[in-house]
Amino acid sequence: MTAGDHGTTGTGGEPLDLADEELVRDPFAAYAPVREGEQMVRGRVQGVDPMWVATRHEDIRTVMSDPRFTIDAATVPGAPVAHRTEQTWQARGMYSGHEKYLRAGIFDADGTDHRRIRGLVTAAFSPGRVAALRPRIEAIADQLLDRLPGHAENGVVDLIEHFARPLPITVICELIAVPEADRDRWRERSATLTAGICGDELGAALAGMVQDAHALVDHHADHPGNDLISELLAPHHLDRLSTDELVALITNLVVAGHITTVNLIANSTEALLTHPDQLALLREDATLTPHAVNELMRYCGPVVRALPRYATCDTTVGNTPVRTGEAVLPIVSAANRDPSAFTDPDRLDLGRTRSSNESHLGFGHGAHRCLGAHLAQEETAVALTALLSRFPDLQLTTDPKHPERGTNPVNWHLKALPVHLRPLPWSGLPGGSGRDRL
């Protein structure tokens, strides 16, 4: 995989294949030659029209914040524009008729609709509301860690399966009051929707989640409680949110609120265990934790690319002309390692200043910045603090240079994270124990 002539296409003058094995395996390194070109390149996704690929930090901030770019292609003036998000899902196996649950969501709307829907739920994810959830997040983390040794075989346990995965889904399901007996099903469907799977399995997972979300709305309408869905069903909100929009919102919150945080916790744990100097720094100063989570999101965040943006008029990004209706796909992982935005970007540095480590684009930028960013940060901070305090001698059992990663070109993630819970004779990591240590 290399950039082609003039940095506009992939090898041989063809659009860059965004499912290329190198790009999927290590997007941070593999997109670097593309980013260092003079302009954006053309790229392709299976079943989707070619689009511009943005890899530079400044260019991506532009398309994420400039009102001349929109997420909803239907808002582009003039002739209809094929909606790439819709095309992608259909190519992967989405059942016909489910487009509205993607198009009605908070992540795929613009302008008045976006402000209306986002305004209804923003308060639930404010820093203050999220901080109030911390004791409950800590309790869930502690319960999972209590059970962790019971899942171990010869002292080895998969942290993704038994810790990173159940923590966020439990939190988000409690937030929208999904019955405990149904949570495994919600978790499995969410994982399917983000695993890069194609065909009937994907279509069935989305259809099942939509069906369950409708049932959840009906239940809360008849039995309101102290939860986000009941709040949105309150009389003063009923005329502002349709049932389809509410179902789409639930689906998006569960998927986005689950899988990104799972992978952030797992990627962060692996990064710390393979950078013992940074792990020691964090243990010495727990006040670094919020900044550390930001730096980990920049350095090893799971979001490879964001939703495409469509030009609503002829414009320019950097020095690349973009015509009305053309899509620009932001490659977040490339922007977060851009040397023009970060000093020594390929180095994990938990001591980066607040101004630099918060300028990463792992949670997006502009009006569509991740609604649940504060919640994801809080969950990751709690997870890392609890895990490394309970098991201070945690050891990876796999070759850190060759971890087994998933093949989803959108989410950079580990398939598993097997670790020794107890110290090994050759342990070189800082020792100690007790909940007073990180």
Side-chain angles (χ1 to χ4, degrees), residues 176-177 219-221 223-235 237:
I176 60 175
H219 174 78
H220 288 327
H223 307 282
N226 184 26
D227 59 86
L228 177 60
I229 305 307
S230 295
E231 182 179 334
L232 294 175
L233 286 169
H237 283 160

